[in-house]
Amino acid sequence: MIRVVVLCALLLAATAPAEPDKRWNIRVELQVVALPDALAVPLVAELMDEKKIDPAYARIQELLANGTAKLIGWPIVTTHSGERATAEATREIRYASEYNPPTVSFTPSVSTTEILKIEPKADVTLFEATPSRFDSRNTGVYLEVEPTVSPDGKTIAVNVVPQHVRLVGFEKITIEKPETGGKVVVEQPQFDTMKVTTQLTLRNGQRVLMGVYRVSEPPNHLEFFILKAEAKKVE
């Protein structure tokens, strides 16, 4: 019986997942950049090629330096192997999400001293819809990562969620109450969201294209998500 118990314990120890090595610091960075269509389209194929992505990335840095490309965001986060971390540069947009419908107030022309004398006239006052609930949305660039380095430090497995949310404007919405016929027009914010949720394994120091998006601002531009993960062991 003792031998069986010892054997089971050894098997469990062998199959149990190893604890992440905290001596590794992993830096993950996300560059979000917008390029004019004419320059961006030829670069897509190069950014998707492991052998050509570094020269293509260097070309993008040149375009950023001379103002041809636009840097949208560049979050960088450093964390231990196996630990979740986030980096963000956002602005909170607060807006009304629910309204009490508009109401109509009638003030009849009634004499308080002459009860039987009532004229069929009314002053109509329309009250605008009032907010009854508020929501908020963060706009900007957000990066969430959970990287784990291999024991030999050659590869990094990454759970990653890069995201860019942009406020594109406001849209007029009509709120109507059928019972009274009252209505009012309010403005609601409209957002564009570019987001990736994925798991991948990279070589230590490898750079990878995470997404390509058509954006409305700047017009005629494509937006790139370019990710890099690098691990260094602290001796």
Side-chain angles (χ1 to χ4, degrees), residues 95-118:
Y95 58 95
S97 58
E98 293 183 6
Y99 292 83
N100 292 320
T103 58
V104 178
S105 175
F106 293 91
T107 306
S109 177
V110 178
S111 173
T112 56
T113 57
E114 301 179 24
I115 299 176
L116 298 178
K117 185 178 180 181
I118 301 176

Side-chain angles (χ1 to χ4, degrees), residues 66-198:
N66 63 32
T68 304
K70 181 178 180 181
L71 182 64
I72 306 300
W74 199 345
I76 302 172
V77 62
T78 301
T79 185
H80 281 152
S81 178
E83 296 292 332
R84 176 180 173 273
T86 61
E88 60 183 297
T90 58
R91 178 184 179 185
E92 183 183 42
I93 304 295
R94 185 171 170 82
Y95 58 95
S97 58
E98 293 183 6
Y99 292 83
N100 292 320
T103 58
V104 178
S105 175
F106 293 91
T107 306
S109 177
V110 178
S111 173
T112 56
T113 57
E114 301 179 24
I115 299 176
L116 298 178
K117 185 178 180 181
I118 301 176
E119 299 180 5
K121 297 180 180 179
D123 294 328
V124 180
T125 302
L126 178 65
F127 294 95
E128 293 186 353
T130 55
S132 59
R133 177 181 173 181
F134 287 87
D135 285 338
S136 63
R137 183 84 181 270
N138 287 334
T139 60
V141 176
Y142 173 85
L143 175 64
E144 177 182 337
V145 297
E146 185 178 336
T148 303
V149 66
S150 62
D152 60 7
K154 293 183 178 181
T155 61
I156 304 171
V158 185
N159 296 330
V160 58
V161 183
Q163 177 176 264
H164 179 206
V165 179
R166 176 190 283 112
L167 175 67
V168 296
F170 290 84
E171 181 179 356
K172 292 183 178 181
I173 305 295
T174 300
I175 301 175
E176 184 173 358
K177 187 174 183 180
E179 294 84 355
T180 62
K183 64 175 61 178
V184 69
V185 177
V186 298
E187 290 189 336
Q188 290 289 287
Q190 303 296 307
F191 300 95
D192 276 349
T193 301
M194 285 73 72
K195 181 178 180 179
V196 179
T197 302
T198 190

